[in-house]
Every structure is written in C-alpha cells, then in structure tokens.
Amino acid sequence: MATTTDGSPTTEASTLDLTTRVRRRVLPALHRIKEPLGGYAICRQHPNEYVGTLKRGLDAVRSTLESMAFEREPIAALKVHDDGRLSAGSWVRRESSLATWQLHVTLFRTDSGAVEVFAHREYSWLRHPYKHYTQDGWDIHGGVERMRSLLSDRGVSFWIE
C-alpha cells in the first residue's frame, strides 16, 4: 500500500493536486446553477477519448505531462467516468497562450493506482471561449492520436484496455 510522507496510507484525496480538489468542490455547485440555464460545469467523459492506461501513479503522470509542456487546466468542466469516478486532473497543451487550438487531457485513477488518460483537440478557451464552450470543432480522434504519439515519442508505455 502506498503511503504519504508521514507514513499514513494515501487516499485519492491526498494525491490530488489543489486545482483538482478545488474543481471537485466548486464545480458541482456551479453546475446546479448553470444546468437550468442550458449550461454545464460537469459532463460525462466520452469513452471514445480513451488514450490508454499508464501503469504509474498520479504524481508520476503529472510529472510526465509537465515535461511534455502540458499545464493544469482549472477552467475545464469536471468529467465523470461512466463508472462514476471523478476526473483526477485536467491538463492542456498549446503552442502558445494565443494558440487557436489546444490538446486537452483528462486523467482518471483506477482502483489499482494506475491512471487512465483521455484526450481531445478543441478550440482554446483563451482565444475562442464561445467555440470552446459549445464544443465547436471538437476533435476526439485527432486528440487521441496526438496524445498517443506524444507518449510514444517520449518512450512512455501505455496499455489500451
């Protein structure tokens, strides 16, 4: 069993970064306000966005993403897996802060401590907030293929389960 630095057992909450913990706390309340108006702050994770499973812990996956020029994404909707799990992180990669497109990656922890990675390509909310929010131009296939390519190029093993 994994432990924290003080020797206590790790829990999902103890390994989540602050951004994810805040998103998990705030976005459900925001969703309840937005949903009656036709908006959303929580959405189902589309299964076709599945990139693969990394048999590494969440901290190691976050470090890998950082080394690949991904940044935490606090603005993204909170994703819910088909089995009810909440996302354990949302990350984006852009060519620049003013880029038209971004690669959005969502992470889910498995019961075994591995991390499932999901991805899509979309308009950057920084440059095209309305197109981003309405999912205009959303490219699942392109996002999945790009993320698999980035992982492979860096020698990061993943399994498609």
Side-chain angles (χ1 to χ4, degrees):
M1 173 181 282
T3 59
T4 62
T5 54
D6 68 1
S8 60
T10 59
T11 62
E12 183 171 356
S14 69
T15 60
L16 295 175
D17 59 67
L18 177 61
T19 302
T20 301
R21 289 195 312 266
V22 169
R23 290 174 67 247
R24 283 184 171 192
R25 177 157 288 216
V26 171
L27 292 181
L30 184 58
H31 184 75
R32 287 190 293 276
I33 295 166
K34 293 175 84 171
E35 190 176 33
L37 304 172
Y40 66 94
I42 300 175
C43 63
R44 177 180 159 267
Q45 176 60 61
H46 198 290
N48 289 349
E49 293 183 28
Y50 179 70
V51 170
T53 301
L54 279 64
K55 295 184 180 176
R56 306 171 168 208
L58 191 54
D59 287 338
V61 173
R62 287 193 295 242
S63 293
T64 298
L65 291 173
E66 287 172 350
S67 75
M68 296 166 60
F70 279 87
E71 299 174 351
R72 285 178 175 85
E73 182 54 89
I75 302 302
L78 182 62
K79 304 291 189 305
V80 180
H81 196 282
D82 280 345
D83 63 13
R85 286 178 288 151
L86 296 177
S87 59
S90 185
W91 294 74
V92 294
R93 184 174 193 237
R94 302 178 190 96
E95 294 296 320
S96 73
S97 58
L98 295 177
T100 296
W101 297 97
Q102 64 185 25
L103 178 60
H104 184 184
V105 171
T106 304
L107 309 176
F108 288 87
R109 286 192 41 175
T110 68
D111 290 340
S112 68
V115 177
E116 292 178 334
V117 178
F118 292 79
H120 61 264
R121 186 173 175 261
E122 64 188 347
Y123 279 106
S124 170
W125 68 269
L126 294 171
R127 185 87 184 274
H128 300 282
Y130 183 75
K131 287 181 179 181
H132 174 87
Y133 189 73
T134 61
Q135 302 173 356
D136 184 17
W138 197 321
D139 180 6
I140 292 173
H141 178 75
V144 169
E145 291 304 311
R146 180 67 179 135
M147 190 60 191
R148 286 177 178 165
S149 176
L150 288 170
L151 291 169
S152 294
D153 290 350
R154 284 161 180 78
V156 177
S157 298
F158 59 92
W159 287 260
I160 299 174
E161 300 174 351

